[in-house]
Amino acid sequence: MTVEQTPTRVETLATLPPADLGARVVAALRAAGLTLAAGESLTAGLLCATVADTPGASAVLRGGLVVYATDLKSGLAGVDGDLLRSRGPVDPDVAAALADGAAARCGADVGVGLTGVAGPDEQDGHPVGEVYIGLHVAGRETVAYRLSPTWRDRMPCAGADLRRGVREATVREALAHVLDALGTPGPGSGAAGRGDDGATERANAEVTGAGDGVGNKTTGPAVGDNDG
């Protein structure tokens, strides 16, 4: 699989706080009538937790697979065992397979797969910060991206723990890729991404205003039994 280059617009979106990105993803998915699932290795559920922090997330968040151990990537997410044995878990095809597997196992329209090295040491020759993000969107070809080298600029704070920084940067960029795929423009931009423009306008309408603590609001009642 060819690793796609992360567009500048995605890097710009990834500078937003995680809570803001999560709220925008929930709004964009609701506007498009789509659902989300994730297969997470190094982030160990952090992406799903970030999305779930937004009220009304159960309308779009189907669930996730925490597949930290290599054998669980195959057993739970359906990643090909030969692929894992030949290339190891830090690989773009593994990220893509995790995205496909999460979408299939959880019955979601959008699947995200995350695998890589959070540190503090390298892993089997892979440096800290080598992370791959798989993105499955129903009706499209699954793609994989490598975490942008600008991740160090998005460390949560000066002197932040390296592992924490890599994991949070991964979640930010993955959510930014979801927004870009759904056509949500970056902050201060009037240009849409590659998704449906109607969904973009509806999502933008839902994430403006106040009311959820991150400068956004989610309209409509929560769906499901996990929002309290």
Side-chain angles (χ1 to χ4, degrees):
M1 169 175 287
T2 301
V3 181
E4 301 290 335
Q5 183 174 356
T6 296
T8 301
R9 62 182 179 270
V10 171
E11 294 180 347
T12 301
L13 274 168
T15 62
L16 294 171
D20 193 356
L21 284 163
R24 287 169 180 256
V25 164
V26 169
L29 288 166
R30 291 186 69 166
L34 301 176
T35 55
L36 174 71
E40 302 186 57
S41 182
L42 78 158
T43 51
L46 184 59
L47 184 143
C48 285
T50 300
V51 173
D53 278 340
T54 298
S58 60
V60 298
L61 181 60
R62 288 286 296 167
L65 308 172
V66 176
V67 285
Y68 213 73
T70 299
D71 62 303
L72 291 184
K73 292 175 176 61
S74 175
L76 288 182
V79 179
D80 184 76
D82 289 337
L83 172 63
L84 289 166
R85 284 187 288 273
S86 63
R87 300 191 200 170
V90 184
D91 183 84
D93 285 315
V94 172
L98 287 173
D100 289 338
R105 297 294 198 272
C106 297
D109 304 297
V110 179
V112 176
L114 303 174
T115 186
V117 183
D121 303 314
E122 69 174 30
Q123 177 181 327
D124 299 326
H126 297 282
V128 175
E130 182 179 346
V131 175
Y132 296 100
I133 299 168
L135 182 62
H136 166 105
V137 179
R140 305 184 197 175
E141 182 180 357
T142 300
V143 295
Y145 300 90
R146 182 165 177 166
L147 181 66
S148 169
T150 60
W151 66 267
R152 289 187 181 274
D153 300 330
R154 301 194 298 273
M155 293 287 279
C157 55
D161 174 74
L162 182 62
R163 286 177 59 83
R164 174 190 169 197
V166 173
R167 294 171 71 240
E168 182 175 295
T170 299
V171 168
R172 286 186 178 189
E173 197 157 303
L175 293 175
H177 277 297
V178 172
L179 287 171
D180 185 61
L182 296 176
T184 303
S189 170
R194 297 176 300 167
D196 172 64
D197 290 340
T200 299
E201 293 175 3
R202 293 190 295 272
N204 288 342
E206 289 194 15
V207 298
T208 55
D212 70 351
V214 293
N216 303 309
K217 70 176 181 180
T218 302
T219 61
V223 177
D225 58 2
N226 297 319
D227 290 322

